[in-house]
Amino acid sequence: MPDTPIDLTLYAIPAFIFLMAVEGLYLWRHRESGLQGYATRDTAASLSMGLGYSAINMVWKGIAFAFYTALYQLTPLRLGTGPLVWVALLFADDLCYYWFHRIHHESRFFWASHVVHHSSEHYNLSTALRQTWTPMTNTLFWAPLALLGFHPVMIVIQQAISLLYQFWIHTEAVGRLGPLEWVLNTPSHHRVHHGSNPRYLDRNYAGIFIIWDRLFGTFQAEDERPVYGLTHNIKTYNPLRIAFHEFAAILRDVRRPAPLRVRLGLVFRGPGWKAPGDNTESLPAPTASAGEHVSSA
């Protein structure tokens, strides 16, 4: 086991570019079937977000790795590096991803980071690269793996494997995949997740395996054409606004005079939460896809 992990996603960049070109050609040739295809400004925005994420994550990944290493040193558990341990890690990592993903939709503070990925009104392989510039909200969700005795290098490698898997499911070019739909997260399942249709909200948080959604009651099959994007789209291609618009909205809302419990609710409760009895338009304007049901205490 090496002392530091290999960043598999950087090695995959040529494959990302090639597959986007293939998908773009396919979608263009089948444009009469209603498939969206690529839009120049939208794709440029997604690639800009991906480049920014890669640069920021080069630093943050080292910090996260040091954190997992510290936790690993604290626990007496050691699971080793054998094949069965890798299989166990595959499922354990995916369960961590499910709860990371679900909470990033159900709490506005975390959603402010994750909303970046849902901000495109298109759905293609470039959308997979539209990633957050604040990955600091992610790290704690994988801490249990280090405490259980999984080696930190294995954890970071498996995180990269999960991210690589999820690249190919961001497409309209692949239909349903038969029996695989029962076990794996597929393009059909993930199209639902990116849909702003009311029946698709709060559904299909899976990373690799759709079994978690089936187990925890968040599964929805694709039974109507998804409308991609947010329930209130931000209508911008500016990377800075895409990256930080929801954090800015949170700051605006908590600066309003209100009891502490209301301000905390505006930060940590659901993205569409309003204080009971508050009918003003500015508190807050939901900007989400899944995870955007408006609630009150």
Side-chain angles (χ1 to χ4, degrees), residues 83-164:
L84 291 180
V85 178
W86 278 103
V87 172
L89 178 60
L90 170 65
F91 286 93
D93 167 85
D94 207 52
L95 180 59
C96 289
Y97 181 88
Y98 172 88
W99 284 108
F100 140 78
H101 199 181
R102 182 169 177 173
I103 291 171
H104 273 68
H105 278 257
E106 295 181 348
S107 169
R108 192 183 181 195
F109 172 78
F110 293 102
W111 173 251
S113 174
H114 185 62
V115 66
V116 170
H117 185 60
H118 286 267
S119 60
S120 174
E121 295 179 57
H122 289 73
Y123 190 75
N124 51 56
L125 292 176
S126 75
T127 309
L129 305 180
R130 186 178 285 229
Q131 295 291 332
T132 180
W133 287 3
T134 54
M136 306 82 187
T137 63
N138 303 355
T139 304
L140 280 175
F141 292 90
W142 279 265
L145 300 184
L147 292 173
L148 286 171
F150 289 105
H151 196 283
V153 171
M154 295 175 64
I155 295 172
V156 176
I157 289 175
Q158 184 56 46
Q159 287 175 328
I161 291 171
S162 177
L163 197 62
L164 290 173

Side-chain angles (χ1 to χ4, degrees), residues 7-58:
D7 191 345
L8 299 177
T9 57
L10 293 179
Y11 289 97
I13 289 176
F16 292 163
I17 296 171
F18 173 75
L19 290 172
M20 283 190 289
V22 171
E23 182 197 34
L25 179 61
Y26 175 88
L27 294 174
W28 180 79
R29 294 186 64 180
H30 292 80
R31 59 193 180 281
E32 287 141 4
S33 63
L35 301 179
Q36 279 189 331
Y38 283 74
T40 302
R41 295 182 70 189
D42 179 81
T43 301
S46 294
L47 295 180
S48 296
M49 299 310 299
L51 289 172
Y53 166 80
S54 296
I56 293 166
N57 206 46
M58 285 179 65

Side-chain angles (χ1 to χ4, degrees), residues 159-201:
Q159 287 175 328
I161 291 171
S162 177
L163 197 62
L164 290 173
Y165 176 88
Q166 292 176 62
F167 175 77
W168 79 279
I169 62 178
H170 290 82
T171 186
E172 290 189 297
V174 177
R176 299 193 181 184
L177 299 176
L180 293 177
E181 302 281 337
W182 285 96
V183 179
L184 294 177
N185 192 17
T186 64
S188 177
H189 295 329
H190 205 58
R191 286 193 291 268
V192 167
H193 180 69
H194 275 259
S196 60
N197 314 44
R199 68 185 289 101
Y200 287 170
L201 301 180

Side-chain angles (χ1 to χ4, degrees), residues 173-245:
V174 177
R176 299 193 181 184
L177 299 176
L180 293 177
E181 302 281 337
W182 285 96
V183 179
L184 294 177
N185 192 17
T186 64
S188 177
H189 295 329
H190 205 58
R191 286 193 291 268
V192 167
H193 180 69
H194 275 259
S196 60
N197 314 44
R199 68 185 289 101
Y200 287 170
L201 301 180
D202 305 305
R203 293 294 179 260
N204 297 5
Y205 297 116
I208 296 176
F209 298 109
I210 200 66
I211 56 176
W212 312 117
D213 288 286
R214 295 184 184 278
L215 179 64
F216 296 119
T218 53
F219 175 73
Q220 172 63 49
E222 185 182 25
D223 54 15
E224 64 184 36
R225 188 173 182 82
V227 177
Y228 302 112
L230 308 174
T231 56
H232 291 70
N233 287 302
I234 57 176
K235 302 298 182 182
T236 182
Y237 302 106
N238 183 322
L240 287 174
R241 287 188 60 196
I242 293 171
F244 301 114
H245 72 273

